[in-house]
Amino acid sequence: MKFLEYYLQTDSFLDFLREFLLGYGYFAMYYVIVITVIYYVIFALSIRHTFPLKRGIQYNRIKKLSGSKHVPPVSLLVPAYNEEVTIIENVRSLLALNYPKYEVIVINDGSKDETFNVMIEEFKLEKINPIVADHIKTKQVRGIYHNPEYPFLYFIDKENGGKADSLNAGINLSHYPLISTIDADSLLEKDALTRIARVYMENPEDTVAVGGNVRIVNSCTVEDGIVKRVRFPKKLLPALQNVEYIKAFLGGRIGWSAINGLIIVSGAFGVFQKDKVIAVKGYRGGYPGEDMNIVIKLHRYCLENKIPYRVAFCPDAVCWTQAPDTYRILSSQRKRWGRGNLKNMIEEGIHMVFRPKYKVFGLLTLPYNIIFETLNPYVRITGLLAILGYWLLTMTDWATLVVFALVNFFSCFILSLGALFIEESAFSRYPKISDLTKMILYSFLMFFGYRQIGVWWRFMGHIDYLRNNNTWGTMVRTNFNK
């Protein structure tokens, strides 16, 4: 009705459209300014906490710690669905860890390929009947397998129920107070578990979760489950994902961890207090973003029950994972991430946002995620339509648009360079100068198509959510050395 009244008063739809676009322009400008300021604040926190981390890495006696009886035992949970290509290398890497006391529990989630047979044959496993707790209800377990020659390895064969259901089945069998989740297409460095345990031991009572750093294994040389030679990915898509991961983990998660505002511990590698995970009823099924979901539930549980806690990040505990190297698989993964993020915000985050009792998580982390991550595709898409409108209505010129685009580009590019600075100054995983040059080059190239198509994938993930599409999507594994 107001629209009609306005139209009648001015008798000019174009005038109304111009004013609308002008108002949208102010909104977009403030949106970009606020998100950029938040990016830089988080990045500044990351930089500030990088140097203490660097000193800790240099002087910490990891080798001595790896043999200490004071290091807490950990149950490593490895959900596996159709992982016949990578599962043996993965398990061998876990069995070779430098860690005093741990167990590896592989959960075969009703795989349709040869995952079950290759595990049974490789490790000569036989069916056993151990005592299994019933902390969390899961799909039917068809059998549990073990070989005394590998006393720390257990293999669960169960009906298909999804990744969350597999993790819950692993929790029921686990024997130790700490659990660690590890993807079957990933490899842990030998000291990774010790490094992440060190962070936990700094404050064992309050630390409910610690996330590890995830790096891209594509093009690296792997022998017996160990990354022997680190190389920058040769293919385009893994290379772009490599610089994207470095920015997200080193430029973002260190900073969010510093203010106890982490919203996700990557499913590829993280450590959790088992009793807290059981207290929140374990991993929730039907969630493509089960790793984000469990962290949100832990925040909520601790804050509502006034339990002192922290969710930390350990950047030097490294897990190497396979990145999708085809458009089809990458788009499937990113749509799933977008769907999972939206589902988590609607069904979990919305209950905590802007409520002071949820402290930093409710007042900063969730508003940031909803406004600047979840709703980002809509702002981007409408922004493009608005630019088209400005041009059609002669409200601006190309010079102004180019200046705006360049300011936006360089503000983001500087953050990418900052993340590379953290990488080189504190961790230096890539020994060649040429690798650093490639990282700078791909940090530049990702603004020309890759980021834009990423917004589209996220939007399509939201469409999948509205269509109630809960499929996992296709993930094709390859040998680690390909």
Side-chain angles (χ1 to χ4, degrees), residues 236-401:
L236 175 64
L237 289 178
L240 290 168
Q241 291 170 78
N242 190 303
V243 294
E244 185 182 32
Y245 275 41
I246 289 174
K247 182 182 177 185
F249 281 87
L250 301 184
R253 295 196 186 182
I254 295 176
W256 283 112
S257 170
I259 57 174
N260 202 23
L262 266 182
I263 196 171
I264 186 169
V265 167
S266 174
F269 181 36
V271 167
F272 300 83
Q273 285 185 9
K274 185 168 74 174
D275 62 337
K276 296 293 191 303
V277 174
I278 293 172
V280 299
K281 301 179 181 177
Y283 289 84
R284 182 173 175 182
Y287 263 79
E290 79 293 327
D291 46 2
M292 177 184 284
N293 181 258
I294 191 69
V295 174
I296 293 175
K297 291 198 303 183
L298 288 172
H299 277 287
R300 186 174 185 175
Y301 173 79
C302 292
L303 289 165
E304 289 182 347
N305 291 282
K306 302 186 186 308
I307 299 172
Y309 80 103
R310 71 165 180 159
V311 178
F313 175 63
C314 181
D316 59 318
V318 175
C319 168
W320 295 89
T321 191
Q322 284 191 349
D325 59 2
T326 66
Y327 179 91
R328 183 174 64 87
I329 298 174
L330 181 59
S331 66
S332 176
Q333 181 197 63
R334 296 309 166 94
K335 289 175 189 174
R336 190 174 69 246
W337 288 4
R339 190 169 81 239
N341 183 70
L342 179 63
K343 192 175 177 74
N344 274 309
M345 291 306 103
I346 290 176
E347 299 185 10
E348 297 284 349
I350 200 71
H351 303 293
M352 305 164 69
V353 69
F354 290 128
R355 297 179 67 182
K357 69 186 270 187
Y358 294 110
K359 299 184 178 178
V360 170
F361 195 71
L363 296 177
L364 183 59
T365 300
L366 285 172
Y368 168 83
N369 191 281
I370 292 172
I371 297 172
F372 300 114
E373 294 289 343
T374 310
L375 299 180
N376 182 278
Y378 305 98
V379 177
R380 297 270 186 178
I381 292 170
T382 55
L384 284 175
L385 294 175
I387 289 172
L388 181 62
Y390 296 143
W391 178 67
L392 291 174
L393 296 175
T394 62
M395 293 175 65
T396 187
D397 53 47
W398 285 112
T400 303
L401 293 177

Side-chain angles (χ1 to χ4, degrees), residues 204-223:
E205 295 296 326
D206 295 351
T207 306
V208 299
V210 187
N213 195 359
V214 180
R215 292 178 179 272
I216 304 296
V217 74
N218 303 50
S219 301
C220 295
T221 302
V222 177
E223 294 178 9

Side-chain angles (χ1 to χ4, degrees), residues 36 77 100 104 111 152 196 216 254 339 373 420 432 469:
T36 302
L77 311 182
V104 179
S111 296
F152 313 119
I196 208 167
I216 304 296
I254 295 176
R339 190 169 81 239
E373 294 289 343
L420 295 183
K432 293 183 178 178
N469 177 5

Side-chain angles (χ1 to χ4, degrees), residues 82-108:
N82 291 349
E83 303 284 0
E84 63 179 9
V85 177
T86 62
I87 191 65
I88 300 303
E89 292 267 28
N90 173 278
V91 173
R92 290 207 172 280
S93 81
L94 297 178
L95 294 177
L97 294 176
N98 288 333
Y99 201 79
K101 191 173 184 180
Y102 68 101
E103 63 183 358
V104 179
I105 301 175
V106 180
I107 309 103
N108 178 40

Side-chain angles (χ1 to χ4, degrees), residues 100-294:
K101 191 173 184 180
Y102 68 101
E103 63 183 358
V104 179
I105 301 175
V106 180
I107 309 103
N108 178 40
D109 189 35
S111 296
K112 296 177 182 176
D113 66 355
E114 294 298 309
T115 300
F116 175 83
N117 290 328
V118 298
M119 278 294 298
I120 295 293
E121 293 174 10
E122 178 70 20
F123 298 102
K124 311 299 180 194
L125 300 169
E126 295 183 359
K127 199 169 186 177
I128 59 173
N129 294 298
I131 297 174
V132 180
D134 57 353
H135 300 301
I136 309 165
K137 188 177 180 180
T138 69
K139 291 282 186 180
Q140 183 180 358
V141 172
R142 297 186 289 222
I144 298 173
Y145 297 81
H146 186 254
N147 178 353
E149 292 185 10
Y150 300 95
F152 313 119
L153 174 64
Y154 295 89
F155 182 57
I156 299 175
D157 181 42
K158 63 181 280 295
E159 292 181 356
N160 180 260
K163 184 176 178 180
D165 192 68
S166 298
L167 291 170
N168 290 335
I171 290 171
N172 286 340
L173 178 64
S174 64
H175 303 95
Y176 300 132
L178 289 182
I179 58 168
S180 177
T181 59
I182 298 164
D183 283 348
D185 63 336
S186 304
L187 303 172
L188 288 189
E189 291 191 348
K190 290 176 74 71
D191 294 328
L193 199 55
T194 307
R195 294 179 187 279
I196 208 167
R198 170 178 52 82
V199 174
Y200 170 79
M201 292 170 68
E202 291 172 356
N203 192 351
E205 295 296 326
D206 295 351
T207 306
V208 299
V210 187
N213 195 359
V214 180
R215 292 178 179 272
I216 304 296
V217 74
N218 303 50
S219 301
C220 295
T221 302
V222 177
E223 294 178 9
D224 297 326
I226 298 172
V227 178
K228 294 287 187 181
R229 184 182 177 192
V230 177
R231 284 185 293 193
F232 191 79
K234 297 176 182 176
K235 293 186 177 179
L236 175 64
L237 289 178
L240 290 168
Q241 291 170 78
N242 190 303
V243 294
E244 185 182 32
Y245 275 41
I246 289 174
K247 182 182 177 185
F249 281 87
L250 301 184
R253 295 196 186 182
I254 295 176
W256 283 112
S257 170
I259 57 174
N260 202 23
L262 266 182
I263 196 171
I264 186 169
V265 167
S266 174
F269 181 36
V271 167
F272 300 83
Q273 285 185 9
K274 185 168 74 174
D275 62 337
K276 296 293 191 303
V277 174
I278 293 172
V280 299
K281 301 179 181 177
Y283 289 84
R284 182 173 175 182
Y287 263 79
E290 79 293 327
D291 46 2
M292 177 184 284
N293 181 258
I294 191 69

